[in-house]
Amino acid sequence: MASKESAHVEITPEVVLRAYACGIFPMAESVDDPTLYWIEPELRGVIPLDTFHVSARLARTVRAGRFTVTIDTRFEAVLDGCAEPRVGRDNTWINARIRELYGALARLGHCHSVEVSLDGELVGGLYGVSLGRAFFGESMFHRVRDASKVALVHLVARLVAGGYALLDTQFITPHLASFGAIEVPRARYRRLLDEALKGGADFCALPCDRPVSGAEALAVLTKSLAI
């Protein structure tokens, strides 16, 4: 379900947070369209944190330490990467208003980026919104094989370490399904969300001020998920 923004309501970062708390998120039709739409899917994509799946091959890649993974150091560059054209998509919904709103949420501490670099070059990453014990994944990208997958593994390790209860992916893709993502009906999603909004979580339970190694991330997941 989608609804067009009201001409009488100014969309501020605070309004966006209230919308997330109600199970709604904003998107734009295209980069050139200044209008935002409120989206509330009938079926919502989530990754249950207690059944997150990492393949043996990907675990080896993460553990090898080929990539450097940082937090909140290149937020705008991650948005640029997420907005790049890709196979099957020539346009992006990340317009100027989305950039402005999520940049403001980042400054408020409610939006975070996970950056994956190779030899100093940004090659993948993701960003999303943190509220209570819920994390709402917005978008991810990769420029080399496995970079976005490594970002997701590090994100989930961080959420598990920080006491999060919900990872919202909005929609399901085959890529996300391989990690255990499922679709839940709107009513069930709202129950999950209501529970996740109780109490707080710590996004920086794993350090945010230095790169976190793949071995550190996998240690958290191994302890929690027995992968």
Side-chain angles (χ1 to χ4, degrees):
M1 183 176 70
S3 60
K4 197 171 183 178
E5 64 182 313
S6 169
H8 304 292
V9 177
E10 179 186 3
I11 299 181
T12 65
E14 292 75 18
V15 168
V16 173
L17 290 177
R18 288 198 295 272
Y20 275 105
C22 294
I24 306 168
F25 57 90
M27 292 185 71
E29 190 69 28
S30 70
V31 68
D32 298 319
D33 185 353
T35 304
L36 298 185
Y37 293 83
W38 294 112
I39 309 294
E40 187 182 17
E42 290 284 349
L43 293 174
R44 193 68 162 250
V46 301
I47 296 180
L49 294 174
D50 57 352
T51 57
F52 182 67
H53 173 70
V54 182
S55 70
R57 184 197 69 80
L58 180 58
R60 288 193 297 270
T61 298
V62 173
R63 187 175 289 110
R66 178 187 179 208
F67 298 105
T68 300
V69 181
T70 54
I71 300 296
D72 295 342
T73 65
R74 306 179 71 177
F75 182 81
E76 291 293 336
V78 169
L79 260 65
D80 289 342
C82 290
E84 289 174 348
R86 64 187 69 169
V87 175
R89 191 196 75 183
D90 296 327
N91 208 336
T92 177
W93 55 271
I94 301 176
N95 65 6
R97 294 190 71 195
I98 290 289
R99 286 177 176 272
E100 179 183 358
L101 284 168
Y102 286 84
L105 287 171
R107 292 189 292 275
L108 291 171
H110 281 289
C111 197
H112 299 282
S113 59
V114 178
E115 306 112 9
V116 179
S117 300
L118 179 63
D119 299 327
E121 179 183 353
L122 185 69
V123 294
L126 59 82
Y127 77 98
V129 173
S130 177
L131 185 64
R133 296 186 299 133
F135 190 89
F136 307 87
E138 284 297 314
S139 189
M140 61 198 310
F141 79 101
H142 69 276
R143 294 171 181 149
V144 302
R145 183 185 182 189
D146 290 335
S148 63
K149 294 179 180 179
V150 169
L152 184 58
V153 170
H154 275 258
L155 172 67
V156 172
R158 184 168 293 277
L159 300 183
V160 169
Y164 284 77
L166 175 65
L167 173 52
D168 175 351
T169 67
Q170 299 179 351
F171 303 104
I172 290 289
T173 65
H175 172 71
L176 294 173
S178 70
F179 288 95
I182 60 174
E183 288 184 324
V184 298
R186 183 183 297 163
R188 182 184 172 195
Y189 173 78
R190 285 178 173 171
R191 291 193 296 271
L192 293 171
L193 177 59
D194 287 345
E195 186 62 29
L197 293 176
K198 298 175 183 176
D202 182 5
F203 191 80
C204 290
L206 287 180
C208 286
D209 58 353
R210 64 165 174 83
V212 170
S213 71
E216 287 177 277
L218 288 175
V220 171
L221 296 177
T222 298
K223 181 178 179 180
S224 173
L225 308 175
I227 65 173

PDB file of all heavy atoms in Angstrom, residues 47-67:
ATOM      1  N   ILE A  47      14.440 -10.300   8.370  1.00  0.00           N
ATOM      2  CA  ILE A  47      15.410 -11.358   8.601  1.00  0.00           C
ATOM      3  C   ILE A  47      15.389 -11.672  10.091  1.00  0.00           C
ATOM      4  O   ILE A  47      15.845 -10.861  10.902  1.00  0.00           O
ATOM      5  CB  ILE A  47      16.834 -10.958   8.173  1.00  0.00           C
ATOM      6  CG1 ILE A  47      16.897 -10.716   6.658  1.00  0.00           C
ATOM      7  CG2 ILE A  47      17.829 -12.045   8.567  1.00  0.00           C
ATOM      8  CD1 ILE A  47      18.270 -10.316   6.161  1.00  0.00           C
ATOM      9  N   PRO A  48      14.831 -12.818  10.485  1.00  0.00           N
ATOM     10  CA  PRO A  48      14.868 -13.182  11.900  1.00  0.00           C
ATOM     11  C   PRO A  48      16.319 -13.309  12.370  1.00  0.00           C
ATOM     12  O   PRO A  48      17.099 -14.080  11.792  1.00  0.00           O
ATOM     13  CB  PRO A  48      14.141 -14.529  11.939  1.00  0.00           C
ATOM     14  CG  PRO A  48      13.284 -14.533  10.703  1.00  0.00           C
ATOM     15  CD  PRO A  48      14.087 -13.793   9.677  1.00  0.00           C
ATOM     16  N   LEU A  49      16.676 -12.563  13.377  1.00  0.00           N
ATOM     17  CA  LEU A  49      18.077 -12.523  13.801  1.00  0.00           C
ATOM     18  C   LEU A  49      18.540 -13.847  14.391  1.00  0.00           C
ATOM     19  O   LEU A  49      19.744 -14.139  14.386  1.00  0.00           O
ATOM     20  CB  LEU A  49      18.279 -11.385  14.805  1.00  0.00           C
ATOM     21  CG  LEU A  49      18.077  -9.983  14.227  1.00  0.00           C
ATOM     22  CD1 LEU A  49      18.149  -8.935  15.329  1.00  0.00           C
ATOM     23  CD2 LEU A  49      19.104  -9.681  13.148  1.00  0.00           C
ATOM     24  N   ASP A  50      17.605 -14.648  14.884  1.00  0.00           N
ATOM     25  CA  ASP A  50      18.004 -15.916  15.499  1.00  0.00           C
ATOM     26  C   ASP A  50      18.129 -17.056  14.501  1.00  0.00           C
ATOM     27  O   ASP A  50      18.551 -18.158  14.868  1.00  0.00           O
ATOM     28  CB  ASP A  50      17.035 -16.309  16.622  1.00  0.00           C
ATOM     29  CG  ASP A  50      15.590 -16.419  16.147  1.00  0.00           C
ATOM     30  OD1 ASP A  50      15.312 -16.041  14.979  1.00  0.00           O
ATOM     31  OD2 ASP A  50      14.747 -16.867  16.932  1.00  0.00           O
ATOM     32  N   THR A  51      17.777 -16.790  13.224  1.00  0.00           N
ATOM     33  CA  THR A  51      17.932 -17.823  12.202  1.00  0.00           C
ATOM     34  C   THR A  51      18.712 -17.297  10.997  1.00  0.00           C
ATOM     35  O   THR A  51      18.610 -17.855   9.902  1.00  0.00           O
ATOM     36  CB  THR A  51      16.561 -18.364  11.747  1.00  0.00           C
ATOM     37  OG1 THR A  51      15.755 -17.277  11.266  1.00  0.00           O
ATOM     38  CG2 THR A  51      15.852 -19.072  12.889  1.00  0.00           C
ATOM     39  N   PHE A  52      19.468 -16.231  11.181  1.00  0.00           N
ATOM     40  CA  PHE A  52      20.287 -15.676  10.095  1.00  0.00           C
ATOM     41  C   PHE A  52      21.235 -16.753   9.579  1.00  0.00           C
ATOM     42  O   PHE A  52      21.887 -17.459  10.349  1.00  0.00           O
ATOM     43  CB  PHE A  52      21.074 -14.489  10.626  1.00  0.00           C
ATOM     44  CG  PHE A  52      21.930 -13.796   9.599  1.00  0.00           C
ATOM     45  CD1 PHE A  52      21.357 -13.099   8.548  1.00  0.00           C
ATOM     46  CD2 PHE A  52      23.311 -13.815   9.701  1.00  0.00           C
ATOM     47  CE1 PHE A  52      22.134 -12.453   7.609  1.00  0.00           C
ATOM     48  CE2 PHE A  52      24.108 -13.162   8.775  1.00  0.00           C
ATOM     49  CZ  PHE A  52      23.518 -12.476   7.717  1.00  0.00           C
ATOM     50  N   HIS A  53      21.320 -16.879   8.258  1.00  0.00           N
ATOM     51  CA  HIS A  53      22.122 -17.949   7.652  1.00  0.00           C
ATOM     52  C   HIS A  53      23.320 -17.371   6.896  1.00  0.00           C
ATOM     53  O   HIS A  53      23.164 -16.482   6.059  1.00  0.00           O
ATOM     54  CB  HIS A  53      21.266 -18.765   6.679  1.00  0.00           C
ATOM     55  CG  HIS A  53      22.051 -19.774   5.903  1.00  0.00           C
ATOM     56  ND1 HIS A  53      22.590 -20.912   6.476  1.00  0.00           N
ATOM     57  CD2 HIS A  53      22.420 -19.810   4.595  1.00  0.00           C
ATOM     58  CE1 HIS A  53      23.242 -21.599   5.572  1.00  0.00           C
ATOM     59  NE2 HIS A  53      23.159 -20.964   4.417  1.00  0.00           N
ATOM     60  N   VAL A  54      24.507 -17.896   7.208  1.00  0.00           N
ATOM     61  CA  VAL A  54      25.724 -17.536   6.491  1.00  0.00           C
ATOM     62  C   VAL A  54      26.303 -18.813   5.890  1.00  0.00           C
ATOM     63  O   VAL A  54      26.595 -19.766   6.623  1.00  0.00           O
ATOM     64  CB  VAL A  54      26.768 -16.890   7.423  1.00  0.00           C
ATOM     65  CG1 VAL A  54      28.012 -16.489   6.630  1.00  0.00           C
ATOM     66  CG2 VAL A  54      26.180 -15.680   8.127  1.00  0.00           C
ATOM     67  N   SER A  55      26.445 -18.844   4.585  1.00  0.00           N
ATOM     68  CA  SER A  55      27.003 -20.035   3.942  1.00  0.00           C
ATOM     69  C   SER A  55      28.459 -20.221   4.346  1.00  0.00           C
ATOM     70  O   SER A  55      29.146 -19.273   4.747  1.00  0.00           O
ATOM     71  CB  SER A  55      26.899 -19.919   2.418  1.00  0.00           C
ATOM     72  OG  SER A  55      27.803 -18.930   1.937  1.00  0.00           O
ATOM     73  N   ALA A  56      28.936 -21.445   4.215  1.00  0.00           N
ATOM     74  CA  ALA A  56      30.329 -21.737   4.564  1.00  0.00           C
ATOM     75  C   ALA A  56      31.282 -20.931   3.680  1.00  0.00           C
ATOM     76  O   ALA A  56      32.313 -20.434   4.152  1.00  0.00           O
ATOM     77  CB  ALA A  56      30.597 -23.236   4.427  1.00  0.00           C
ATOM     78  N   ARG A  57      30.934 -20.806   2.402  1.00  0.00           N
ATOM     79  CA  ARG A  57      31.806 -20.044   1.499  1.00  0.00           C
ATOM     80  C   ARG A  57      31.885 -18.590   1.918  1.00  0.00           C
ATOM     81  O   ARG A  57      32.971 -18.000   1.973  1.00  0.00           O
ATOM     82  CB  ARG A  57      31.295 -20.135   0.051  1.00  0.00           C
ATOM     83  CG  ARG A  57      32.221 -19.447  -0.955  1.00  0.00           C
ATOM     84  CD  ARG A  57      31.538 -19.185  -2.286  1.00  0.00           C
ATOM     85  NE  ARG A  57      30.506 -18.169  -2.173  1.00  0.00           N
ATOM     86  CZ  ARG A  57      30.766 -16.855  -2.148  1.00  0.00           C
ATOM     87  NH1 ARG A  57      32.014 -16.400  -2.197  1.00  0.00           N
ATOM     88  NH2 ARG A  57      29.780 -15.993  -2.062  1.00  0.00           N
ATOM     89  N   LEU A  58      30.723 -17.980   2.238  1.00  0.00           N
ATOM     90  CA  LEU A  58      30.723 -16.579   2.640  1.00  0.00           C
ATOM     91  C   LEU A  58      31.442 -16.406   3.981  1.00  0.00           C
ATOM     92  O   LEU A  58      32.160 -15.420   4.168  1.00  0.00           O
ATOM     93  CB  LEU A  58      29.291 -16.054   2.736  1.00  0.00           C
ATOM     94  CG  LEU A  58      29.154 -14.585   3.146  1.00  0.00           C
ATOM     95  CD1 LEU A  58      29.907 -13.667   2.181  1.00  0.00           C
ATOM     96  CD2 LEU A  58      27.683 -14.181   3.226  1.00  0.00           C
ATOM     97  N   ALA A  59      31.264 -17.343   4.892  1.00  0.00           N
ATOM     98  CA  ALA A  59      31.969 -17.252   6.173  1.00  0.00           C
ATOM     99  C   ALA A  59      33.478 -17.240   5.960  1.00  0.00           C
ATOM    100  O   ALA A  59      34.207 -16.491   6.629  1.00  0.00           O
ATOM    101  CB  ALA A  59      31.556 -18.413   7.076  1.00  0.00           C
ATOM    102  N   ARG A  60      33.965 -18.038   5.023  1.00  0.00           N
ATOM    103  CA  ARG A  60      35.403 -18.030   4.721  1.00  0.00           C
ATOM    104  C   ARG A  60      35.836 -16.678   4.175  1.00  0.00           C
ATOM    105  O   ARG A  60      36.908 -16.156   4.532  1.00  0.00           O
ATOM    106  CB  ARG A  60      35.741 -19.143   3.717  1.00  0.00           C
ATOM    107  CG  ARG A  60      35.679 -20.541   4.302  1.00  0.00           C
ATOM    108  CD  ARG A  60      36.323 -21.551   3.372  1.00  0.00           C
ATOM    109  NE  ARG A  60      35.633 -21.644   2.089  1.00  0.00           N
ATOM    110  CZ  ARG A  60      34.625 -22.474   1.836  1.00  0.00           C
ATOM    111  NH1 ARG A  60      34.172 -23.284   2.795  1.00  0.00           N
ATOM    112  NH2 ARG A  60      34.067 -22.516   0.636  1.00  0.00           N
ATOM    113  N   THR A  61      34.988 -16.089   3.320  1.00  0.00           N
ATOM    114  CA  THR A  61      35.307 -14.775   2.760  1.00  0.00           C
ATOM    115  C   THR A  61      35.355 -13.718   3.853  1.00  0.00           C
ATOM    116  O   THR A  61      36.267 -12.880   3.893  1.00  0.00           O
ATOM    117  CB  THR A  61      34.258 -14.379   1.703  1.00  0.00           C
ATOM    118  OG1 THR A  61      34.292 -15.322   0.635  1.00  0.00           O
ATOM    119  CG2 THR A  61      34.533 -12.990   1.152  1.00  0.00           C
ATOM    120  N   VAL A  62      34.365 -13.735   4.742  1.00  0.00           N
ATOM    121  CA  VAL A  62      34.329 -12.766   5.839  1.00  0.00           C
ATOM    122  C   VAL A  62      35.542 -12.939   6.738  1.00  0.00           C
ATOM    123  O   VAL A  62      36.205 -11.963   7.117  1.00  0.00           O
ATOM    124  CB  VAL A  62      33.024 -12.925   6.656  1.00  0.00           C
ATOM    125  CG1 VAL A  62      33.056 -12.048   7.899  1.00  0.00           C
ATOM    126  CG2 VAL A  62      31.809 -12.579   5.791  1.00  0.00           C
ATOM    127  N   ARG A  63      35.865 -14.179   7.072  1.00  0.00           N
ATOM    128  CA  ARG A  63      36.961 -14.454   8.010  1.00  0.00           C
ATOM    129  C   ARG A  63      38.322 -14.114   7.401  1.00  0.00           C
ATOM    130  O   ARG A  63      39.258 -13.755   8.127  1.00  0.00           O
ATOM    131  CB  ARG A  63      36.921 -15.923   8.428  1.00  0.00           C
ATOM    132  CG  ARG A  63      37.914 -16.281   9.528  1.00  0.00           C
ATOM    133  CD  ARG A  63      37.738 -17.715   9.984  1.00  0.00           C
ATOM    134  NE  ARG A  63      36.513 -17.904  10.743  1.00  0.00           N
ATOM    135  CZ  ARG A  63      35.462 -18.571  10.307  1.00  0.00           C
ATOM    136  NH1 ARG A  63      35.466 -19.120   9.084  1.00  0.00           N
ATOM    137  NH2 ARG A  63      34.381 -18.705  11.050  1.00  0.00           N
ATOM    138  N   ALA A  64      38.441 -14.208   6.086  1.00  0.00           N
ATOM    139  CA  ALA A  64      39.737 -13.983   5.429  1.00  0.00           C
ATOM    140  C   ALA A  64      40.235 -12.559   5.596  1.00  0.00           C
ATOM    141  O   ALA A  64      41.440 -12.296   5.470  1.00  0.00           O
ATOM    142  CB  ALA A  64      39.628 -14.331   3.945  1.00  0.00           C
ATOM    143  N   GLY A  65      39.340 -11.611   5.850  1.00  0.00           N
ATOM    144  CA  GLY A  65      39.770 -10.241   6.096  1.00  0.00           C
ATOM    145  C   GLY A  65      40.197  -9.486   4.855  1.00  0.00           C
ATOM    146  O   GLY A  65      40.934  -8.498   4.949  1.00  0.00           O
ATOM    147  N   ARG A  66      39.721  -9.920   3.708  1.00  0.00           N
ATOM    148  CA  ARG A  66      40.052  -9.207   2.472  1.00  0.00           C
ATOM    149  C   ARG A  66      39.492  -7.797   2.487  1.00  0.00           C
ATOM    150  O   ARG A  66      40.105  -6.857   1.988  1.00  0.00           O
ATOM    151  CB  ARG A  66      39.491  -9.991   1.288  1.00  0.00           C
ATOM    152  CG  ARG A  66      39.729  -9.338  -0.066  1.00  0.00           C
ATOM    153  CD  ARG A  66      38.984 -10.104  -1.146  1.00  0.00           C
ATOM    154  NE  ARG A  66      39.149  -9.504  -2.462  1.00  0.00           N
ATOM    155  CZ  ARG A  66      38.267  -9.591  -3.441  1.00  0.00           C
ATOM    156  NH1 ARG A  66      37.126 -10.262  -3.246  1.00  0.00           N
ATOM    157  NH2 ARG A  66      38.476  -9.018  -4.605  1.00  0.00           N
ATOM    158  N   PHE A  67      38.297  -7.632   3.065  1.00  0.00           N
ATOM    159  CA  PHE A  67      37.620  -6.343   3.100  1.00  0.00           C
ATOM    160  C   PHE A  67      37.819  -5.661   4.447  1.00  0.00           C
ATOM    161  O   PHE A  67      37.932  -6.313   5.481  1.00  0.00           O
ATOM    162  CB  PHE A  67      36.113  -6.520   2.862  1.00  0.00           C
ATOM    163  CG  PHE A  67      35.764  -7.111   1.526  1.00  0.00           C
ATOM    164  CD1 PHE A  67      35.342  -8.431   1.424  1.00  0.00           C
ATOM    165  CD2 PHE A  67      35.834  -6.346   0.382  1.00  0.00           C
ATOM    166  CE1 PHE A  67      34.999  -8.970   0.202  1.00  0.00           C
ATOM    167  CE2 PHE A  67      35.503  -6.874  -0.854  1.00  0.00           C
ATOM    168  CZ  PHE A  67      35.085  -8.200  -0.950  1.00  0.00           C
TER     169      PHE A  67
END
